[in-house]
Amino acid sequence: MISLFIPVFQASPSQASTGDGSWTAPYSVAQANANQTGSVKTVKGYVVGQPTAANTVVTSNYPNDYALALADSPSETSTSKMIYVQIPSSFRTQFGLKTNPSLKGTEMKVTGKLAAYFSHSGITGATAMEKQSGTTDPTDPTDPSDPPPYDDTYYQSAIGKTGEALKTELHNIIDDHRELSYDNVWEALRNTDEDPNNPNNVILLYTGRSQSKLSNGGNVNDWNREHVWAKSHGDFGTSAGAGTDIHHLRPTDVSVNSSRGNLDFDNGGTQHSEALGNYYDSDSWEPRDAVKGDVARMLFYMAVRYEGDSGELDLELNNNVNNGSAPLHGKMSVLLEWHREDPVDARERRRNDIIFKDYQSNRNPFIDHPEWAESIWN
């Protein structure tokens, strides 16, 4: 069972040492919490868990490697006495708690911007992280073989923002992408959704079936181009832009695609006879467990990418089903549940990288930073 921290007491300020925020004289967590000014400082504290919301820190069954919480005492249980640390991609293998659960209770130093994270006092954009017993050189914190640190480049202007301000900044970062024609989508999906065990095949979204890349079309058991944000929700069809944005286009079985139609997403219904693990009724579709989070993050992307400027539609999430032709998609509360239950995996990250590098020159922020969904919509 995942355990939750509940604030129960206030720690004495005398329990923590003080410093000037330099590497040799780091701030205590108490100092860092009192100085959320956006300045770059080094903070020392003990790893006490992983934040998943403003007042929630889990101490086991860590969902991913994206964040950790520090406190001045390894036994701290009050979230008000913790600071939440955003872990950039270059540090996740070494300091992410899902990969390194034994880090809990370890004393460490972090250098970064003292700015809100998960709507809580935080450290963002870390440039150095070191266990007190480790040998990491703080002047050379990254390995050349690590993936590009998108926190420091692509998302730099969004770091530290929350809510609507974060949504607006992410839109500004990912809009004006390079658009594909609808015909070009076929070849793009052959690349983005390639079966890692068979380069001649693609993996179909709802069935999980591996199928020949060339068996696309409109015949029975062919695969076609599924708009996960149903194209009738805003009536954008297959026109360049939302209609050809491969961040939400996926290969699916023709008849399964037809069954899903333009249904909103929600739990429940009758299991689909061909796409086992998928359920549907008259107003909603529930995808198989392995792609629930994928579906949610694709819709999160669409709701941020298309905000009504430059003559485009303003696509928004709501908590309804039966949205029809309105530029709305639901069900938001369920999508957030799926996002938490089915974390980002390697295939999703690979797909995001391919779209960015080879096709659209933009990224899905909720694959790179899953925590941002809760910050915007929760």
Side-chain angles (χ1 to χ4, degrees):
M1 175 180 286
I2 295 177
S3 60
L4 306 180
F5 282 129
I6 301 175
V8 294
F9 65 88
Q10 299 292 317
S12 169
S14 62
Q15 288 179 292
S17 60
T18 59
D20 60 12
S22 65
W23 184 260
T24 55
Y27 272 174
S28 66
V29 170
Q31 282 182 285
N33 283 342
N35 289 278
Q36 291 284 293
T37 61
S39 59
V40 175
K41 299 290 184 181
T42 297
V43 181
K44 182 171 71 173
Y46 293 91
V47 178
V48 291
Q50 178 176 356
T52 57
N55 296 307
T56 304
V57 171
V58 298
T59 59
S60 62
N61 299 323
Y62 304 111
N64 53 53
D65 289 327
Y66 295 102
L68 57 81
L70 296 179
D72 287 322
S73 166
S75 60
E76 184 61 75
T77 59
S78 172
T79 57
S80 67
K81 297 300 180 183
M82 299 175 190
I83 194 162
Y84 294 176
V85 180
Q86 177 190 54
I87 307 176
S89 58
S90 55
F91 292 115
R92 289 171 189 164
T93 300
Q94 187 176 1
F95 294 104
L97 285 171
K98 183 175 183 179
T99 302
N100 307 279
S102 62
L103 280 176
K104 185 174 181 294
T106 300
E107 189 176 30
M108 64 182 299
K109 292 195 289 190
V110 180
T111 301
K113 183 187 294 185
L114 300 184
Y117 185 52
F118 275 112
S119 302
H120 185 283
S121 58
I123 304 172
T124 63
T127 57
M129 300 181 72
E130 178 184 288
K131 291 190 294 183
Q132 284 301 87
S133 58
T135 58
T136 303
D137 179 357
T139 64
D140 185 19
T142 61
D143 185 317
S145 65
D146 285 334
Y150 293 110
D151 292 350
D152 300 332
T153 55
Y154 190 73
Y155 295 119
Q156 185 176 30
S157 60
I159 301 300
K161 291 183 169 61
T162 60
E164 281 299 317
L166 174 59
K167 185 170 184 272
T168 297
E169 192 57 42
L170 291 177
H171 169 74
N172 292 335
I173 291 169
I174 67 175
D175 72 348
D176 298 324
H177 71 266
R178 186 166 71 237
E179 296 178 344
L180 281 68
S181 71
Y182 198 47
D183 283 342
N184 288 341
V185 168
W186 290 118
E187 191 58 38
L189 295 183
R190 292 186 180 102
N191 188 3
T192 59
D193 291 76
E194 180 179 289
D195 182 347
N197 298 314
N198 185 344
N200 297 313
N201 286 10
V202 292
I203 299 291
L204 306 191
L205 178 65
Y206 297 130
T207 61
R209 189 169 75 231
S210 178
Q211 183 161 322
S212 170
K213 289 180 176 180
L214 301 180
S215 63
N216 60 293
N219 298 320
V220 175
N221 290 328
D222 280 350
W223 65 268
N224 61 4
R225 298 158 292 187
E226 155 81 329
H227 291 79
V228 177
W229 184 293
K231 59 182 181 289
S232 65
H233 288 228
D235 198 25
F236 51 76
T238 59
S239 57
T244 67
D245 193 322
I246 54 176
H247 276 295
H248 85 116
L249 281 161
R250 301 295 291 267
T252 57
D253 177 270
V254 167
S255 57
V256 176
N257 190 346
S258 178
S259 296
R260 188 261 156 150
N262 69 344
L263 296 174
D264 287 280
F265 292 99
D266 197 1
N267 291 313
T270 301
Q271 182 168 230
H272 195 280
S273 60
E274 184 175 3
L276 299 180
N278 296 258
Y279 298 83
Y280 68 116
D281 54 26
S282 62
D283 57 22
S284 68
W285 180 270
E286 177 185 350
R288 61 192 176 101
D289 289 348
V291 297
K292 278 184 164 73
D294 305 51
V295 166
R297 288 180 282 276
M298 285 186 274
L299 266 64
F300 297 159
Y301 164 87
M302 293 293 284
V304 170
R305 167 60 187 86
Y306 299 95
E307 288 281 67
D309 55 1
S310 304
E312 296 174 338
L313 287 165
D314 182 6
L315 303 180
E316 297 293 345
L317 297 170
N318 66 7
N319 215 35
N320 301 325
V321 293
N322 284 323
N323 277 302
S325 61
L328 304 170
H329 225 303
K331 189 173 184 180
M332 183 174 66
S333 59
V334 172
L335 293 171
L336 286 168
E337 289 175 9
W338 293 351
H339 173 60
R340 290 188 289 265
E341 293 167 359
D342 175 34
V344 177
D345 59 24
R347 288 193 65 236
E348 220 175 336
R349 287 190 288 270
R350 174 187 176 274
R351 192 175 197 276
N352 199 26
D353 289 341
I354 290 171
I355 294 171
F356 176 66
K357 295 172 183 175
D358 297 342
Y359 296 103
Q360 296 188 178
S361 299
N362 74 340
R363 303 183 65 80
N364 182 334
F366 305 100
I367 294 174
D368 296 324
H369 279 276
E371 71 278 3
W372 280 344
E374 301 278 358
S375 178
I376 293 173
W377 287 292
N378 203 12

